[in-house]
Amino acid sequence: MTDSTTHDEAHGNGLGTRLNWLRAAVLGANDGVVSTAGLVVGVAGATGDRATLLTAGLAGLLAGSMSMAAGEYVSVSTQRDSEQAALAMEKRELQETPDAELAELTGLLEDKGLSHEVAREAALQLTERDALRAHAEVELGIDPDDLTNPWHAAGASFLAFTAGALLPLLAIVLPPPSVRLIVTVLAVLAALACTGWWSARLGDAAVGRAVLRNIGGGAVAMGVTYVAGALLGAAGV
């Protein structure tokens, strides 16, 4: 017998909310780690000057975090506008054609496996309780009280990117010049392994694949930028 108090499988809007936050956090942190690591490693390939590395890293951190926040704000604002427009249209239809909307809700419940009689009774009860909420959740998949928040998403992306970017920045400027590159590479790969593991665990995905994907992408990015920086440095650019 399953104990409902220990059953932690995610369902419905809870899962959607969790995955939205996960997406913003993981993308922000990964972008912060990889883009800043690629930037400072590329600069390190051209010069070992600590001040130059710090300037490049800080510039990349600020530009990247602001870009992530702005992009997430625009994206989620568009999604919220679409949700509000859909709710407004549904509210208008409920006012103008209530019988048609009741029939539509009945049909949607039938599609979920209910008999016509049970679906009709359920639709009537849901409509009497809160018609807009019933149609929003069953027809649109929207919780009217839990619309996406662009400010939350932007803030999460900004903080996640900043946290991720700080690691390669500190790793490249704090150690002695002789070991700063290897320290940075190892720190970045370890961080990407952690974010890959974290995203896979929270998203119920395969851990090994997510970790290898993160590490491989970061390693390629750092390798490419380092070679480019070394070539430019050798050419005196």
Side-chain angles (χ1 to χ4, degrees):
M1 180 181 295
T2 301
D3 184 356
S4 61
T5 62
T6 60
H7 184 65
D8 59 358
E9 181 181 354
H11 296 284
N13 291 329
L15 176 61
T17 300
R18 189 181 77 173
L19 291 179
N20 282 338
W21 281 102
L22 173 64
R23 173 182 60 84
V26 171
L27 286 178
N30 275 355
D31 282 355
V33 172
V34 175
S35 62
T36 306
L39 177 61
V40 296
V41 167
V43 175
T47 178
D49 182 66
R50 191 186 302 270
T52 301
L53 292 171
L54 178 60
T55 301
L58 283 175
L61 184 154
L62 292 173
S65 61
M66 294 302 296
S67 175
M68 282 290 296
E72 195 69 16
Y73 178 82
V74 171
S75 174
V76 176
S77 292
T78 301
Q79 179 182 344
R80 186 183 180 90
D81 291 344
S82 298
E83 291 173 342
Q84 290 176 328
L87 288 173
M89 178 180 293
E90 197 64 39
K91 184 176 181 179
R92 184 171 61 253
E93 291 175 346
L94 285 167
Q95 293 172 343
E96 296 175 353
T97 57
D99 292 338
E101 290 300 300
L102 179 61
E104 181 181 33
L105 183 58
T106 300
L108 290 170
L109 293 174
E110 285 186 76
D111 291 341
K112 293 180 179 293
L114 300 180
S115 66
H116 177 75
E117 293 76 14
V118 173
R120 178 73 176 181
E121 179 61 26
L124 284 169
Q125 293 188 24
L126 289 171
T127 299
E128 290 175 359
R129 180 178 302 173
D130 191 334
L132 180 59
R133 173 177 292 277
H135 281 266
E137 294 181 347
V138 177
E139 181 180 349
L140 305 175
I142 297 174
D143 182 350
D145 296 328
D146 189 28
L147 299 182
T148 53
N149 190 312
W151 289 107
H152 289 172
S157 292
F158 179 89
L159 293 176
F161 186 99
T162 300
L166 281 174
L167 185 139
L169 175 58
L170 295 177
I172 202 73
V173 299
L174 293 181
S178 60
V179 296
R180 65 171 46 134
L181 189 58
I182 187 62
V183 168
T184 301
V185 170
L186 292 177
V188 166
L189 295 182
L192 292 176
C194 290
T195 57
W197 176 88
W198 179 59
S199 65
R201 292 285 295 181
L202 292 181
D204 296 324
V207 172
R209 182 182 303 172
V211 170
L212 289 176
R213 184 168 54 231
N214 271 17
I215 290 177
V220 169
M222 288 187 290
V224 170
T225 55
Y226 180 79
V227 170
L231 292 175
L232 291 173
V237 177

